[in-house]
Structure formats: C-alpha cells, structure tokens
Amino acid sequence: MIATCKKLVTDIQRDKDLDTKLPEYAELLGRQYNCYATVKGSMNYYTMKEVCDEQEDKNMDVCKYFALLTGLLDRHLVKREAVDEDSMEAIAQLRSNVEYKMHLLTAYTDAYEIYEYVLNRVEAAVRDEVAPVDAKGLSEKMFAYVFAENDTVVINSKLQLLMAQLPVRMTKNKFYDIVNSTLNIYEEGETTSVDEFVDMLRSAVLLKKPKGFETEYPFLYHVYTDLAEADYAALTLPEFEDLTKRLNQAATIINNEVSAFMLLQEVINDVYTILLTIDAAYEKNKEDVPGYAAALRIIEACVKAETIEQLPDEVMNEFFTIEGVQERVYESIVILEAVLDEIRVGKAEQIESLTLTEAFDRLDKVSKLLSTSLFIDLDKITGKAETADHAYITAKKEALVKELGDLFASVKKPVYRSMMCKLLAAMPIFMNTQQEIRDYFDYVIENCKDDSELMACNKLISEMIEE
C-alpha cells in the first residue's frame, strides 16, 4: 500500500493521467480515512461506553450526547442506511454542543485560577503560620532553574511557568506598557492573529463571560460568585477552608467533565469521519482489511448492548485483530495527506472538470477532523489575510487597556494582581537578557513585603522546580 500511495502521488505531481489519477487519489484517501476512523473509533467508542456506564445520572449531557451518537452509528454503520443530510446536521450539532460545553468549562477554569492564586497567597496569614523566606536564595534558585538548559524554547517555557506564580510588583501603567509592547509585535502581521491573541487575553480574565455561564453549571457558578465576593483581606480560617473545599469540589467536577467531553469529542470526530466516507469505502474496506471488519463488529456489539458487561466474550478478542491496523493505515494517510492542499489548489481546474470538488472538500474536512486539534474549526476558510497596520494595532491596544482598566477598578488589589499575573504568564516574555531576568526576579521577590504571599510563592515555585 505504501508503494501504491507514493506512486499515485508522484503521478499526480507530474500531471500524469490526471483524469484517472485524481479520482483514484480521492477514493484511496477517503478509504484510508474511513478505515483509520473506524478502527480508532471502535476503541474510543468502547471506552466512552464504559464512561457513560459508570455515570449514576444518565441524563447528564455527556450521556445524552453519547446516546444520540449511538443512534447515528446504529442507523448508518449497523443497519447500513444511507447517510442523509439530517444525519450530517445532527453530527455537526453534536460537535457544536460539546464545543459549547468546553468553552464554558474553560471559562470556569480561568476564573478559578484567578482566585486560587489569591487563596494560596493568603493561606499562611489566615492560618497564622507566617515564616520568613530566604528571598535571595529563592531568586537564585529560579535563575538556576530557568537556565539549566541552553534551549530558548525550554527557557521561555520555564519563564512563563514562573511568571504564573511570581508576585506582581509593578504599577498598572507599567503593566499596560508591557501589554502595548506585546501587541506592537503583531504590527504588519495578520489581523486574525491579533484578534486571536487579544481574545485569548480577554478570556483569561473573563472580560466577557460566555453565554450560559450563569445557568449551565449552577454549583460552579455559586462557587465562582462566592470567590468573587469574598473579602480576602479579612478572611477568617473557617471562611478560607470553606472556600478552598468548595473550590476543590468545583475543580473535580470540571476535571471529570472535561475528560468526558474530550473523549466524547474524539468519538464524535471519528463518527463524523465515518459518515463522510462510509458510502464509498465500506464494502472495499470490509473486503480488504480484516481489522476493519473486526472494528465494525466491536462497534455493532457496543451499539446493541445495554452495558459493557452485556457484551459477548468474543468481542474482546476482536481487539487483538485490530491491533496495529491503525498504525499501518496512518502511514498511507501521511503520504497521501501531505499533498492534499497542494492538489486541491494546484489541480483545482481538473478537479472541477471531473466533478470532484465536493469529494476533495470532504477530504479536507476529514483531514481536520482527524488532526490533533479536537476542536478545530471545520468551516474556517483560509483566504488572503488583512494586514494589521499601526492604526489597527493602536485601536486594539486602546480598547484592551480600557477594558482592563475598568476590570481592575472593579475588583480588589489581590484579585487584580492575580489577573495581571495570569496575563503576564500568557504573554511573550518581556525581558530580553539574562541580566534583565535576574534583575526582575530580584526585584519582585525583594519588593514583596507580604510574607504570606512570599511563602506561597516559595512553596509553589520550589515544588515546580523539584518536579
């Protein structure tokens, strides 16, 4: 198969017999995609079924979405009904629903990180366990940690980890200068890159809460409001322990939800791929690939069984049959997919004349579905990008600084310092030399007069370094 794929790609690149080779390419890549998704999907679907079996509340969204997905598999993979527009709309809606849930959970994660930072730094004072910290020793330890390896990527990664924990000891104006300087980097770049970066910063501090933030997860929202309304300067030990306990409960809920939805999205992407490619690939794959037929049997058994425990014993043996199939098929996909964009653009006229435009558009969508980005935008069209000129950057800077200023004015000092810390960790490092980095470490540590905060930083940073 590898040799066949390489020869086919070479023939197309040399414009050899395109009337035959282009349809052959579309059919072969579609078949490989279908086989890969079916085999991978059989394993993911089995695991997802286990997850839903373990849920006490079967009315949870993740279980309801999984049930809808099962219905689609039953219709089109088990009963072999033709894939229609309604089913394609249904799978697209399922994918959108999961993206919406993940957007909410990400917003709550961002929110809780802000208040966890604050709680960590008041803990020693609340517990009356404040002790002095060797500020110079901490600064030297951080510097040695950052430059333990002479690799720019590793150094920047370590710096950003430290920035997320270091005390913030700068004026708001100095912070805004850093924001402005960071956005200046994007001048003459693409406007979409600027927009995405600004949106990321805004999301990190919840400048705009997503729709449903107040209603979709009542417990998470109640925890959030209690954290937002707490008086951290006068927090009692019982209040601190209650907030910490509930924050940990909320974090557990988020972790469980995110894990389930991540797996569900992977299954959805697999099923989406199957629906897009099954009609032209099913019979050929079933005939030529033993592992494909085994994957079909796994999915069919899981669809029909009420629970995992009800699966026939022989189903487990099917997993041995599919072992290694996914990896072998992926080798073919890598060869064929490497030239997909090149063929779609460079052979567009021939593709259109052969009425293959829809087929190649489908292949492009499947390549996104099977990429490492589970939540990639399937409908995003890459065209000529607009340039972010000086005026565009200036307008973005002014709007963002105004929003941040209003936000910081609406919360107390410990909270806006946490927000500033979170944003600094999300931005490119603003220090250019080793000496600047050393000076910054010395400055923030030496100028942190809050022993409770310094203790928290020392503890968290030491744990990070020792991992």
Side-chain angles (χ1 to χ4, degrees):
M1 180 59 76
I2 299 297
T4 300
C5 293
K6 287 181 177 179
K7 184 177 186 308
L8 181 57
V9 167
T10 301
D11 286 346
I12 292 174
Q13 289 177 321
R14 292 176 177 173
D15 291 334
K16 182 178 178 181
D17 194 14
L18 291 181
D19 287 356
T20 301
K21 299 300 180 181
L22 286 174
E24 185 180 335
Y25 173 90
E27 188 270 339
L28 182 57
L29 181 54
R31 202 151 47 82
Q32 299 305 299
Y33 276 149
N34 179 262
C35 187
Y36 181 81
T38 304
V39 173
K40 183 163 74 76
S42 68
M43 294 183 284
N44 287 333
Y45 183 76
Y46 176 90
T47 305
M48 191 68 229
K49 190 173 184 68
E50 278 189 312
V51 170
C52 285
D53 281 355
E54 292 168 0
Q55 303 301 322
E56 293 182 6
D57 181 9
K58 303 303 181 185
N59 288 318
M60 291 177 61
D61 285 333
V62 70
C63 292
K64 290 193 291 187
Y65 296 162
F66 183 68
L68 292 172
L69 201 60
T70 297
L72 290 172
L73 285 171
D74 185 36
R75 283 183 59 196
H76 303 298
L77 206 64
V78 177
K79 296 176 181 173
R80 292 295 294 125
E81 295 179 18
V83 178
D84 54 22
E85 194 62 37
D86 288 344
S87 291
M88 295 312 302
E89 288 178 5
I91 193 74
Q93 186 60 56
L94 272 176
R95 194 171 186 274
S96 178
N97 290 346
V98 174
E99 288 174 355
Y100 167 68
K101 288 289 186 177
M102 287 294 293
H103 190 44
L104 282 171
L105 293 166
T106 301
Y108 274 113
T109 300
D110 284 327
Y112 291 154
E113 284 176 351
I114 292 168
Y115 295 104
E116 182 184 34
Y117 179 99
V118 179
L119 283 171
N120 284 337
R121 280 146 186 78
V122 301
E123 180 175 9
V126 170
R127 295 189 184 281
D128 196 20
E129 296 174 349
V130 177
V133 172
D134 179 4
K136 184 172 180 58
L138 176 58
S139 180
E140 290 177 350
K141 183 163 57 175
M142 290 190 298
F143 187 80
Y145 167 68
V146 169
F147 293 102
E149 299 176 55
N150 189 25
D151 184 312
T152 304
V153 175
V154 174
I155 289 170
N156 284 334
S157 175
K158 289 181 175 180
L159 277 170
Q160 287 185 310
L161 288 173
L162 291 176
M163 292 299 292
Q165 300 299 338
L166 282 171
V168 176
R169 290 299 181 267
M170 65 176 67
T171 65
K172 291 180 184 176
N173 285 337
K174 171 62 176 174
F175 173 77
Y176 297 143
D177 285 343
I178 294 171
V179 173
N180 288 333
S181 297
T182 299
L183 282 172
N184 285 340
I185 297 171
Y186 287 86
E187 191 166 328
E188 299 307 318
E190 297 180 0
T191 55
T192 52
S193 297
V194 182
D195 295 344
E196 288 171 1
F197 179 70
V198 171
D199 285 344
M200 182 270 292
L201 295 181
R202 296 174 76 249
S203 297
V205 290
L206 264 69
L207 271 170
K208 183 179 180 181
K209 298 180 182 68
K211 180 183 176 182
F213 186 82
E214 299 85 358
T215 56
E216 287 288 330
Y217 291 96
F219 178 76
L220 299 184
Y221 182 67
H222 288 151
V223 173
Y224 164 75
T225 55
D226 287 346
L227 288 165
E229 294 169 2
D231 183 357
Y232 294 98
L235 209 60
T236 66
L237 181 56
E239 289 171 337
F240 171 85
E241 290 180 336
D242 180 61
L243 283 175
T244 301
K245 176 184 176 182
R246 296 174 70 223
L247 177 58
N248 289 335
Q249 290 172 338
T252 299
I253 291 171
I254 289 175
N255 287 336
N256 291 340
E257 287 278 289
V258 166
S259 296
F261 278 122
M262 290 280 284
L263 177 58
L264 180 61
Q265 185 76 337
E266 190 161 0
V267 182
I268 288 172
N269 287 351
D270 292 335
V271 176
Y272 206 146
T273 296
I274 291 170
L275 296 185
L276 284 168
T277 56
I278 189 172
D279 288 342
Y282 180 88
E283 296 299 340
K284 186 71 172 170
N285 279 341
K286 193 172 181 181
E287 177 183 334
D288 292 351
V289 187
Y292 180 81
L296 291 175
R297 289 191 291 271
I298 292 170
I299 294 173
E300 181 174 353
C302 288
V303 166
K304 291 180 176 179
E306 285 288 329
T307 64
I308 288 292
E309 285 75 19
Q310 295 179 9
L311 287 173
D313 293 339
E314 58 267 22
V315 170
M316 300 310 296
N317 294 329
E318 302 288 7
F319 285 103
F320 293 105
T321 307
I322 66 174
E323 189 174 344
V325 174
Q326 185 179 329
E327 291 74 16
R328 290 194 295 274
V329 173
Y330 186 70
E331 292 178 359
S332 300
I333 289 175
V334 168
I335 296 169
L336 295 169
E337 193 177 71
V339 295
L340 177 57
D341 288 340
E342 176 189 330
I343 292 174
R344 286 185 71 227
V345 175
K347 316 296 182 188
E349 289 186 11
Q350 293 96 326
I351 288 172
E352 184 176 1
S353 68
L354 294 167
T355 64
L356 291 172
T357 302
E358 184 179 343
F360 273 87
D361 287 346
R362 193 181 302 118
L363 293 175
D364 179 60
K365 180 173 283 190
V366 170
S367 72
K368 294 175 182 175
L369 285 166
L370 295 182
S371 71
T372 54
S373 178
L374 291 179
F375 299 94
I376 191 171
D377 185 351
L378 301 181
D379 300 315
K380 185 176 181 180
I381 300 173
T382 54
K384 183 174 174 56
E386 295 182 22
T387 301
D389 58 17
H390 180 73
Y392 189 86
I393 295 294
T394 300
K396 285 289 180 180
K397 288 191 295 189
E398 290 176 351
L400 180 59
V401 168
K402 171 68 168 57
E403 284 185 287
L404 290 174
D406 292 343
L407 176 64
F408 293 164
S410 70
V411 298
K412 294 182 179 179
K413 182 182 287 187
V415 178
Y416 81 65
R417 278 184 170 173
S418 175
M419 291 176 172
M420 288 168 67
C421 180
K422 199 165 189 292
L423 292 170
L424 287 171
M427 291 189 284
I429 301 302
F430 54 88
M431 298 158 283
N432 298 313
T433 66
Q434 288 193 16
Q435 189 58 49
E436 285 183 19
I437 292 168
R438 182 185 289 276
D439 291 344
Y440 183 78
F441 287 167
D442 290 341
Y443 176 80
V444 295
I445 296 299
E446 290 172 4
N447 283 274
C448 179
K449 305 306 180 184
D450 185 332
D451 289 338
S452 179
E453 180 176 9
L454 204 53
M455 279 184 65
C457 291
N458 185 44
K459 177 177 181 291
L460 294 166
I461 288 171
S462 295
E463 290 174 353
M464 182 192 308
I465 290 173
E466 290 165 8
E467 283 184 353

